[in-house]
Amino acid sequence: MRNIICYIIIIITLSACNSVVENINTNKEFHETYKLTLIDSISFPLDAESQPLNECMQIYHKPHSDSILFTFYNEYNNSIYLYNYHKPENYQIIHLEKEGPNGVYPYASGYHIKTLDSIYFYSMYVDKIFLLNRDGNIKETYDLLANVPSDIYRPTMRLGTGRPLYLINDKLYISGYIHGEFIREDSIKLPLSIIYDMKTKSSNLKLGYPESYRRGNWGEVYYRELFWCYNDSIKRFILSFPNDHNIYLTDLNKTESKPGGSKYADVIKSIDHPSAFPMPKEKRILHYLESYFTIVYDKYRNVYYRFVKHPWINPQIKRKPWEKPLSIIIFDKNMNRIGETLVDFKYRLSSNAFLVTEEGLLLREHNDNEDEIKFGIFKLKKI
């Protein structure tokens, strides 16, 4: 009898501690002066071993040259593809080894090209970054977690177009997330990024979840990832969290918040389910309402874009949380909102499938053609 009573008390306690939290958008209104307009498209042919949706892409400008490369990592054949941006039919492939002396142990991997002879390749499987040459051979290996104290909870690092690896001076910056719920989301013991010093071969863990995560059950990956970009001219990272209407500017020591919510978003709710128990699939999928994703700096126009996912009109269990209607908030150089554009549903997968070029913001188009990657080119225009 005593065990039953204890069990009931535990259940009631857990349920009480897991009431739904509502993050309300209190700064919805802003003056719109700019919008994004579709002006053109560009396509890149794919071989039989490639597919259109790739987690990690990069535009690379060859130094002392007008040559521009569109690049992506193909996880299926563990290769980096490099296309001539202006002549997409011309491309080359850097084939990487999986194991052995030059093995990169690919799993949820990504990369950053400094030069074609200095490619930084990250593997989540071993939490290492490999410095590769143009042939895919390893020049150096950086163990991100080698000196991290065992009492520090280590974040899950994840690279993608919206979660890029930054090389600043002699340090590598990579962001991640905490998988699952913890009692103190603001704790310094729950950092979300790693700064790796290539000279000293040591890591420093920084950043944590903001106030919006300190209460409520925010589920698993899709509400927990840290998205960021870096503006070298102001030496600041700009952060975007899925459940938070605000954006954050930080030098990794001091952080300030700015209103960054969508005019279409009223409230983001935590999950109505105790975090101590396994979550039913329907709750895991359907609870994702409004959520914020990528934030990116457009150096050509000195503006920022923040991607927002909006609710389905008719939610269904079989649908994936990331396949949702998309809008893009536009910020000026001072991080003030100056516009928001709803984009066609065929760009619903573009929160991590975008590029910034001199032509404009490129969003990957979702279609049934698996023989090419097609981007819509969106130009920033004054209203």
Side-chain angles (χ1 to χ4, degrees):
M1 185 66 166
R2 181 180 296 175
N3 290 339
I4 294 175
I5 293 173
C6 290
Y7 179 77
I8 293 173
I9 292 173
I10 291 172
I11 294 297
I12 292 173
T13 301
L14 289 170
S15 299
C17 292
N18 201 70
S19 57
V20 172
V21 174
E22 295 187 347
N23 288 342
I24 299 172
N25 187 3
T26 58
N27 288 285
K28 283 182 61 175
E29 304 302 323
F30 56 90
H31 181 56
E32 296 192 74
T33 53
Y34 284 87
K35 64 179 181 178
L36 289 166
T37 302
L38 179 65
I39 60 167
D40 204 349
S41 65
I42 185 171
S43 299
F44 299 89
L46 295 174
D47 61 21
E49 295 184 314
S50 302
Q51 54 98 24
L53 183 59
N54 300 283
E55 186 73 10
C56 199
M57 303 183 296
Q58 182 185 343
I59 291 288
Y60 173 70
H61 294 258
K62 286 187 177 180
H64 315 296
S65 168
D66 294 331
S67 179
I68 301 173
L69 300 181
F70 160 61
T71 74
F72 68 83
Y73 171 65
N74 184 344
E75 63 179 319
Y76 293 101
N77 63 4
N78 193 34
S79 300
I80 297 174
Y81 284 63
L82 305 99
Y83 289 76
N84 184 318
Y85 182 82
H86 296 296
K87 295 180 179 179
E89 66 277 5
N90 297 334
Y91 65 92
Q92 62 184 97
I93 305 172
I94 300 176
H95 296 284
L96 307 180
E97 299 292 331
K98 292 185 177 181
E99 299 177 345
N102 289 302
V104 296
Y105 301 92
Y107 174 72
S109 299
Y111 68 98
H112 170 78
I113 301 176
K114 179 184 178 183
T115 71
L116 293 182
D117 212 37
S118 293
I119 301 171
Y120 293 84
F121 185 90
Y122 169 72
S123 169
M124 184 192 287
Y125 185 77
V126 291
D127 279 317
K128 293 179 180 179
I129 291 176
F130 302 97
L131 178 58
L132 310 175
N133 65 16
R134 64 181 65 239
D135 297 317
N137 297 325
I138 295 176
K139 298 165 65 176
E140 198 157 354
T141 300
Y142 306 112
D143 189 340
L144 298 177
L145 300 177
N147 73 317
V148 177
S150 58
D151 63 332
I152 298 292
Y153 191 90
R154 302 173 178 186
T156 300
M157 297 292 114
R158 189 78 180 266
L159 252 66
T161 311
R163 300 175 300 274
L165 168 70
Y166 287 102
L167 172 61
I168 305 172
N169 299 322
D170 294 310
K171 295 181 180 179
L172 298 166
Y173 295 74
I174 181 172
S175 69
Y177 59 92
I178 302 297
H179 194 283
E181 285 294 332
F182 292 84
I183 295 173
R184 296 184 299 161
E185 295 295 358
D186 60 328
S187 172
I188 191 62
K189 292 186 180 296
L190 297 179
L192 299 174
S193 67
I194 289 179
I195 300 94
Y196 184 86
D197 190 319
M198 291 183 288
K199 283 187 174 180
T200 63
K201 295 189 181 298
S202 61
S203 295
N204 189 13
L205 279 66
K206 289 282 189 176
L207 299 176
Y209 285 109
E211 180 73 29
S212 58
Y213 282 89
R214 296 183 188 180
R215 296 182 301 117
N217 178 6
W218 295 103
E220 300 172 3
V221 178
Y222 302 110
Y223 260 146
R224 312 194 67 79
E225 291 182 283
L226 164 60
F227 297 90
W228 68 359
C229 64
Y230 183 73
N231 184 340
D232 186 59
S233 64
I234 61 173
K235 309 300 182 187
R236 293 290 186 275
F237 286 91
I238 297 86
L239 315 179
S240 174
F241 293 92
N243 86 340
D244 201 319
H245 300 287
N246 291 330
I247 56 173
Y248 297 85
L249 283 74
T250 181
D251 60 2
L252 300 183
N253 292 309
K254 183 180 179 182
T255 301
E256 64 173 307
S257 65
K258 299 272 287 185
S262 166
K263 67 180 180 180
Y264 303 107
D266 295 314
V267 61
I268 299 176
K269 296 181 180 180
S270 65
I271 308 169
D272 183 17
H273 189 79
S275 58
F277 298 100
M279 193 183 306
K281 182 178 180 180
E282 60 271 15
K283 281 188 177 290
R284 190 168 67 246
I285 297 299
L286 296 183
H287 89 274
Y288 297 106
L289 301 175
E290 255 90 14
S291 55
Y292 299 95
F293 281 76
T294 301
I295 189 159
V296 58
Y297 177 56
D298 182 341
K299 65 180 181 180
Y300 302 103
R301 285 154 283 272
N302 202 16
V303 298
Y304 303 83
Y305 309 114
R306 191 186 194 190
F307 292 71
V308 192
K309 295 288 189 178
H310 297 282
W312 294 299
I313 297 175
N314 297 304
Q316 298 175 15
I317 297 295
K318 65 180 181 179
R319 303 178 88 167
K320 296 180 174 64
W322 54 87
E323 292 185 348
K324 300 172 71 175
L326 184 73
S327 73
I328 299 174
I329 307 170
I330 308 161
F331 297 80
D332 66 14
K333 65 180 181 179
N334 298 314
M335 303 307 302
N336 298 310
R337 290 166 293 176
I338 56 174
E340 183 170 7
T341 301
L342 289 167
V343 297
D344 191 281
F345 190 65
K346 65 184 177 182
Y347 300 105
R348 66 189 182 277
L349 299 177
S350 293
S351 62
N352 266 321
F354 67 91
L355 297 165
V356 176
T357 69
E358 291 188 56
E359 295 175 283
L361 175 66
L362 276 59
L363 300 180
R364 193 188 76 83
E365 180 180 317
H366 179 71
N367 55 47
D368 296 326
N369 187 355
E370 296 190 354
D371 296 326
E372 66 175 11
I373 302 178
K374 183 177 182 180
F375 293 92
I377 302 174
F378 290 78
K379 185 176 181 179
L380 185 66
K381 291 189 176 182
K382 196 163 187 176
I383 298 175

